[in-house]
Amino acid sequence: MNKTKKFLLSEKEIPEHWYNITADMPNKPLPPLHPGTKEPIGPEALTPLFPMELIKQEVSQEQWIAIPEEVREVYKLWRPTPLFRATNFEKLLDTPAKIYYKYEGGSPAGSHKPNTAVPQAYYNKMEGVKKLTTETGAGQWGSALSFACQLFGIELEVYMVKISYEQKPYRKMLMNTWGAKVFASPSDNTESGRKILQQFPNSPGSLGIAISEAVERAASDENTKYSLGSVLNHVLLHQTVIGLEAIKQMELAGDLPDVVIAPFGGGSNFAGIAFPFLRLNFQEGKNIKCIAVEPASCPKLTKGEFRYDFGDTVGLTPLLPMYTLGHNFIPAPIHAGGLRYHGAGVLVSQLLKDKLIEAQAVQQLECFDAGVKFANTEGIIPAPEATHGIAAVIKEAQKAKEEGKEKTILFNLCGHGYFDMTAYQDYFEGKLSDHFLSEEELHSGLKYLDTPKIQ
Amino acid sequence: MNKTKKFLLSEKEIPEHWYNITADMPNKPLPPLHPGTKEPIGPEALTPLFPMELIKQEVSQEQWIAIPEEVREVYKLWRPTPLFRATNFEKLLDTPAKIYYKYEGGSPAGSHKPNTAVPQAYYNKMEGVKKLTTETGAGQWGSALSFACQLFGIELEVYMVKISYEQKPYRKMLMNTWGAKVFASPSDNTESGRKILQQFPNSPGSLGIAISEAVERAASDENTKYSLGSVLNHVLLHQTVIGLEAIKQMELAGDLPDVVIAPFGGGSNFAGIAFPFLRLNFQEGKNIKCIAVEPASCPKLTKGEFRYDFGDTVGLTPLLPMYTLGHNFIPAPIHAGGLRYHGAGVLVSQLLKDKLIEAQAVQQLECFDAGVKFANTEGIIPAPEATHGIAAVIKEAQKAKEEGKEKTILFNLCGHGYFDMTAYQDYFEGKLSDHFLSEEELHSGLKYLDTPKIQ
């Protein structure tokens, strides 16, 4: 055992503001379009789904947005989160690279998701909302919002992607324990769900379908609003507490990362750690490389198209400018359910288009191998989503070794894998496989897409 | 939401010594007896099972025992643990009592058990031990030792009580992920297991049986030693880091508990938080009431006999002076697997005999009701074991309300329930029940016991 290097902040150092990267982006994101007319829409179009404060944040150009005191109070339950140097993992990799990780798994829901679930529940509560609907993939988002809604006394209905509903029963029970109602999606609660079930009775579901169901439910009841766990600007905004804390902690360590790495589903985890470091690039002339890591079986960043697309499968949401595989794309049932989404958030898409960030795709087996190596040296068992970041870290550490460079790597360990133990068991028993998409599969979702392309 | 009140210590405040209560006890514990001759035995009799440093700690009369620097380094992964005031829970209970809890669930294995797993693995490693065996009930201990053995490069074989092996598959997978081999006990790996299976082919197992198996395996191989997660003096010693930190944190809160509460299985959790507060009673004339809470279905403290008994079912261990239901007692398959043990640790037994601590028994349904109330106000979902403490806290808080007293209560939230979600699900679905022991059942384990009684 090497010395444990942990860098802690005091409660007073929980950030007082979220960082809004829009203010610093050289090219601002394009506006959303109306799903029917395909004309640009303003914030008022979002009022059936979101409370006004969140809509304001969605379109804000302010660089800093104050975190309400009530939200910081709840953050105190698990924030500031620790930052560690992974000295034993470094030793195993026999690398000259220094590897740091920020650990977000200590929250009651076990991931970074409560960072946005709590303010979302709070703003809805403030505006008198009685009930929320949402979707969830692996269940990290659903359980985070269940926890937050329970604390603020808001009812919650969760549409959980069917394959994850079956793979991760403990996540469902967790949501139930916090008082939420959970349905396997596609369900027959909604038009959207029934439509999919008619076409594909054995559909394993997808985040896109689950979003359609949750949005439909919220839009059809005026006392109910909708809540999303990633993709949207205000969600990414809330997650910047991760990177803001990490910057202070890297200072404590007397270090600055050359590379910042995070898994990528819709962007909340990646944005959370990377955006505050990108600010240092924008404002202080730093040159920190930020890498978003997606599963090879759902490669929107590395193989998708940059164009307008729906956020959901059925086509109920506004059209957003993003890297996408097409809203009909149904990804393979990998265990990293949180990364099975057809599109990338608007902010991250624009940054990638402008080459201000990088993207990589990794296969499932490589990820689990990385996760086990990490667990056996550092003790924490990472969520399958988080293993994608670790796989990329190993690559960077090996490159550093080949190049003989002392590089500093920081990654976001966004959640623990204690609800995903069956995935590890399947991996040990040789039941998991990689997923190589044929050209046909890759284009299956884009082929018939009639949404506007972007040059 | 009320204000979050969290009391944190810096890493430097991780205790440098464990507190050995033996030094301060008015009546020292009686010596162990040889299982065959029933004559007192010395420390040397334990050498086939334990490394010398742990044996020294087992019989030490020193008040303070230094924590090795290497152990403190690993402790830093999750220590110091936070202490919270449960303001939202207080509000729900509408009580004048102030309720504090120490939260040990943030360790990689999710409970307080790594506090002793790490030093045990360390001392074994230092003395050249290659392999350990152990038993586990709900799996908290087994996973803690798997984690610790993995960090120190020691092989591990775990005998897991069969009913828990079936109820808690995720715990088994967790141990596997940290590299341990796990067997459902009774197994056919050992004479002890085969003997039980012959008599009771459908035995749900018990901690006593699993201990027999693990001890037999260690005793029959000179490179293998045995490790226990509770009951023994050195195990309770290691857990005192909990209470030592809590005392400093209660000082930060400007408060001192009137009552300290913890669940009771073999004693490690209770001792961990209570012993350092008992020191204040012994040395500073304080009058802090310490309550051990056991399940009504396994009531050794409240209904057992104080006499010599075996630590295991088959009768391989030395005879220890303890409150016991008899080593043949097979408890009902409640979900709090960690509390299903026939006897109480020697130190706790002597303290109870001398009326220096108190004991209570609670039923399963009351515990889950308490656990859900806590989860819905404070956010953390407690392990079934931990809910026993919470049920007793509710009783104390209600008493304070009836008496109109502003009482200060501290309890040890020893672990989270994220591996026990099926238990909560069963509770919600009305599948759980209470267990009322008939007089016959209660005495079933004591009836034919021929071990020495103690006056």
Side-chain angles (χ1 to χ4, degrees):
Chain A
M1 284 294 299
N2 285 307
K3 261 187 160 350
T4 300
K5 292 186 182 165
K6 181 165 72 166
F7 304 93
L8 294 176
L9 301 174
S10 77
E11 281 191 357
K12 287 179 196 152
E13 293 172 285
I14 293 174
E16 293 179 0
H17 295 83
W18 292 299
Y19 168 60
N20 180 11
I21 199 168
T22 316
D24 289 329
M25 285 168 71
N27 293 316
K28 306 297 172 198
L30 297 169
L33 307 180
H34 188 278
T37 66
K38 295 179 185 166
E39 292 298 318
I41 52 171
E44 67 291 345
L46 298 172
T47 52
L49 293 183
F50 301 105
M52 194 43 70
E53 275 305 312
L54 291 176
I55 295 173
K56 282 188 198 162
Q57 292 178 0
E58 186 65 19
V59 298
S60 170
Q61 303 282 322
E62 293 296 311
Q63 194 177 22
W64 298 101
I65 294 177
I67 306 178
E69 208 37 57
E70 294 84 343
V71 170
R72 291 183 78 238
E73 282 300 324
V74 184
Y75 278 174
K76 283 186 193 170
L77 285 173
W78 71 96
R79 303 209 73 82
T81 61
L83 184 136
F84 292 93
R85 180 158 165 204
T87 46
N88 290 299
F89 188 49
E90 287 172 17
K91 198 170 155 189
L92 177 78
L93 300 178
D94 186 26
T95 174
K98 290 185 278 182
I99 302 175
Y100 293 86
Y101 64 98
K102 177 83 168 158
Y103 182 47
E104 291 288 312
S107 75
S111 78
H112 67 299
K113 293 291 187 188
N115 295 334
T116 182
V118 169
Q120 289 196 46
Y122 167 77
Y123 289 120
N124 275 289
K125 180 73 179 180
M126 287 301 104
E127 298 186 25
V129 176
K130 301 282 180 248
K131 181 173 169 180
L132 286 174
T133 63
T134 198
E135 71 292 328
T136 197
Q140 286 191 337
W141 167 244
S143 48
L145 194 62
S146 303
F147 155 73
C149 282
Q150 180 64 250
L151 289 185
F152 286 105
I154 298 176
E155 215 180 308
L156 177 64
E157 206 168 272
V158 181
Y159 290 84
M160 184 171 188
V161 175
K162 194 183 274 167
I163 177 72
S164 289
Y165 187 94
E166 286 160 4
Q167 277 175 346
K168 302 177 200 278
Y170 278 40
R171 278 278 175 199
K172 175 188 166 288
M173 298 174 200
L174 184 61
M175 294 184 251
N176 291 154
T177 304
W178 278 317
K181 284 198 188 114
V182 186
F183 302 98
S185 167
S187 78
D188 56 10
N189 286 7
T190 63
E191 275 300 319
S192 306
R194 289 189 291 269
K195 198 169 138 189
I196 301 283
L197 284 173
Q198 221 166 28
Q199 267 189 285
F200 310 101
N202 298 320
S203 167
S206 72
L207 273 167
I209 297 171
I211 294 175
S212 295
E213 294 206 87
V215 165
E216 183 186 323
R217 290 286 286 178
S220 62
D221 175 358
E222 65 175 320
N223 290 316
T224 301
K225 295 222 182 277
Y226 165 71
S227 175
L228 187 66
S230 190
V231 179
L232 295 179
N233 304 352
H234 68 271
V235 182
L236 275 54
L237 172 80
H238 299 155
Q239 292 294 354
T240 58
V241 289
I242 301 170
L244 293 168
E245 286 180 6
I247 286 175
K248 288 188 197 171
Q249 289 165 308
M250 290 302 296
E251 278 168 16
L252 286 179
D255 228 331
L256 184 73
D258 300 299
V259 188
V260 173
I261 292 175
F264 193 90
S268 86
N269 172 359
F270 172 74
I273 193 143
F275 283 7
F277 285 96
L278 287 173
R279 190 182 75 80
L280 303 184
N281 288 357
F282 293 140
Q283 304 223 325
E284 300 180 12
K286 299 279 192 263
N287 186 23
I288 301 164
K289 186 163 79 168
C290 294
I291 307 175
V293 189
E294 62 186 5
S297 57
C298 192
K300 61 252 180 184
L301 295 177
T302 53
K303 299 201 170 163
E305 273 185 27
F306 185 53
R307 65 187 293 167
Y308 275 97
D309 197 5
F310 294 103
D312 70 316
T313 299
V314 171
L316 303 178
T317 72
L319 287 161
L320 299 173
M322 57 188 192
Y323 279 93
T324 180
L325 295 165
H327 61 276
N328 283 314
F329 181 82
I330 300 280
I334 59 165
H335 272 278
L339 309 185
R340 297 171 70 250
Y341 184 61
H342 66 275
V346 170
L347 296 174
V348 175
S349 292
Q350 188 64 50
L351 290 165
L352 183 64
K353 173 86 170 112
D354 294 339
K355 299 193 167 42
L356 298 167
I357 60 169
E358 298 182 14
Q360 281 179 15
V362 284
Q363 286 285 2
Q364 177 159 265
L365 295 179
E366 186 181 349
C367 291
F368 276 98
D369 179 62
V372 171
K373 283 192 172 107
F374 185 83
N376 286 343
T377 48
E378 296 295 319
I380 298 164
I381 295 179
E385 288 79 6
T387 61
H388 286 69
I390 300 172
V393 168
I394 292 178
K395 282 200 184 92
E396 284 293 321
Q398 281 165 344
K399 214 194 294 174
K401 190 178 172 184
E402 285 156 22
E403 295 170 357
K405 274 193 195 157
E406 208 206 58
K407 194 184 292 183
T408 300
I409 304 168
L410 167 66
F411 76 96
N412 192 23
L413 184 52
C414 53
H416 62 63
Y418 303 141
F419 292 103
D420 307 280
M421 294 314 303
T422 50
Y424 280 90
Q425 193 76 358
D426 288 352
Y427 171 67
F428 288 128
E429 291 173 0
K431 290 182 189 162
L432 298 188
S433 57
D434 287 339
H435 295 269
F436 297 92
L437 288 170
S438 66
E439 282 300 305
E440 198 189 325
E441 285 169 321
L442 186 62
H443 295 110
S444 61
L446 293 166
K447 219 166 173 180
Y448 304 106
L449 213 58
D450 63 349
T451 55
K453 291 198 182 192
I454 306 167
Q455 292 317 315
Chain B
M1 285 293 300
N2 286 306
K3 265 188 160 343
T4 300
K5 293 187 180 163
K6 181 165 72 167
F7 304 94
L8 294 176
L9 301 175
S10 76
E11 281 191 354
K12 288 179 195 151
E13 292 172 286
I14 293 175
E16 294 179 359
H17 295 84
W18 292 300
Y19 168 59
N20 180 11
I21 200 169
T22 315
D24 289 328
M25 285 168 69
N27 293 315
K28 307 298 174 200
L30 298 168
L33 308 181
H34 188 278
T37 67
K38 296 179 184 167
E39 293 297 318
I41 52 170
E44 67 292 344
L46 299 171
T47 52
L49 293 183
F50 302 104
M52 194 42 71
E53 274 306 311
L54 291 177
I55 295 172
K56 280 187 198 162
Q57 292 178 0
E58 186 65 21
V59 298
S60 170
Q61 302 283 320
E62 293 296 311
Q63 193 177 23
W64 298 101
I65 294 177
I67 306 179
E69 207 39 54
E70 294 84 343
V71 170
R72 290 184 78 240
E73 282 300 324
V74 184
Y75 278 173
K76 283 186 193 169
L77 285 173
W78 72 96
R79 306 208 71 84
T81 62
L83 184 136
F84 293 93
R85 180 156 165 205
T87 47
N88 290 299
F89 187 50
E90 286 173 14
K91 199 171 154 189
L92 176 79
L93 300 179
D94 186 26
T95 174
K98 290 186 277 183
I99 302 174
Y100 293 86
Y101 64 97
K102 177 83 167 157
Y103 182 46
E104 291 288 312
S107 74
S111 78
H112 66 299
K113 293 291 187 187
N115 295 333
T116 182
V118 170
Q120 289 196 46
Y122 167 77
Y123 289 119
N124 275 290
K125 180 74 179 179
M126 287 301 103
E127 298 185 24
V129 175
K130 301 281 179 249
K131 181 172 168 181
L132 286 174
T133 63
T134 197
E135 71 292 327
T136 196
Q140 287 191 336
W141 167 244
S143 47
L145 194 63
S146 303
F147 155 74
C149 282
Q150 180 65 250
L151 290 184
F152 288 103
I154 299 175
E155 214 182 310
L156 177 65
E157 205 169 273
V158 181
Y159 290 84
M160 184 171 188
V161 175
K162 194 183 273 167
I163 178 73
S164 290
Y165 186 95
E166 287 161 3
Q167 279 174 346
K168 300 175 202 282
Y170 278 41
R171 277 278 176 201
K172 173 187 166 289
M173 298 174 200
L174 184 62
M175 293 184 252
N176 290 154
T177 304
W178 278 316
K181 285 199 188 112
V182 186
F183 302 97
S185 166
S187 78
D188 56 12
N189 285 6
T190 63
E191 276 299 320
S192 305
R194 289 189 290 269
K195 196 169 140 190
I196 300 283
L197 284 173
Q198 220 166 31
Q199 265 190 291
F200 311 100
N202 298 318
S203 166
S206 72
L207 274 167
I209 296 170
I211 294 175
S212 296
E213 294 207 85
V215 164
E216 183 187 320
R217 289 285 287 179
S220 62
D221 174 1
E222 65 177 318
N223 291 316
T224 301
K225 297 226 182 270
Y226 165 73
S227 175
L228 186 67
S230 189
V231 178
L232 296 179
N233 305 351
H234 67 272
V235 182
L236 275 54
L237 172 80
H238 299 155
Q239 292 293 354
T240 58
V241 288
I242 302 171
L244 293 168
E245 286 180 6
I247 285 174
K248 287 188 197 171
Q249 289 165 309
M250 290 301 295
E251 279 169 14
L252 286 179
D255 229 330
L256 184 74
D258 300 301
V259 188
V260 173
I261 291 174
F264 193 90
S268 86
N269 173 358
F270 172 75
I273 194 144
F275 283 8
F277 286 96
L278 287 173
R279 189 182 74 82
L280 303 184
N281 289 356
F282 293 142
Q283 301 222 326
E284 299 179 13
K286 299 279 191 263
N287 187 22
I288 300 164
K289 186 163 80 169
C290 295
I291 308 176
V293 189
E294 63 186 4
S297 57
C298 192
K300 60 255 183 182
L301 295 177
T302 54
K303 297 199 170 164
E305 273 185 26
F306 186 54
R307 65 186 293 166
Y308 274 98
D309 198 3
F310 295 102
D312 70 317
T313 299
V314 172
L316 305 178
T317 72
L319 288 160
L320 298 173
M322 58 187 188
Y323 279 92
T324 180
L325 295 164
H327 61 276
N328 284 313
F329 180 81
I330 301 280
I334 59 165
H335 272 279
L339 310 186
R340 297 170 71 250
Y341 184 63
H342 67 275
V346 170
L347 296 174
V348 174
S349 292
Q350 187 65 48
L351 291 165
L352 183 65
K353 174 89 168 104
D354 293 341
K355 297 192 168 49
L356 298 167
I357 61 169
E358 298 183 14
Q360 280 179 16
V362 284
Q363 286 286 1
Q364 177 158 263
L365 294 180
E366 187 181 349
C367 290
F368 276 97
D369 179 64
V372 171
K373 284 194 171 107
F374 185 82
N376 286 342
T377 49
E378 297 295 320
I380 298 164
I381 296 180
E385 288 79 6
T387 63
H388 287 69
I390 300 172
V393 167
I394 293 179
K395 282 200 183 94
E396 284 292 320
Q398 282 166 342
K399 214 195 291 173
K401 190 178 171 183
E402 284 156 23
E403 296 169 357
K405 273 191 196 160
E406 207 205 61
K407 195 185 291 183
T408 299
I409 304 168
L410 167 66
F411 75 95
N412 193 23
L413 184 53
C414 53
H416 62 64
Y418 302 142
F419 291 104
D420 307 279
M421 294 314 303
T422 50
Y424 279 90
Q425 194 76 357
D426 288 352
Y427 171 68
F428 288 128
E429 292 174 0
K431 290 182 188 161
L432 298 187
S433 56
D434 287 340
H435 295 269
F436 297 92
L437 289 170
S438 66
E439 283 299 305
E440 199 189 323
E441 284 169 322
L442 186 62
H443 295 109
S444 60
L446 293 166
K447 218 166 171 180
Y448 304 104
L449 214 58
D450 62 349
T451 55
K453 291 199 183 191
I454 306 167
Q455 292 318 313

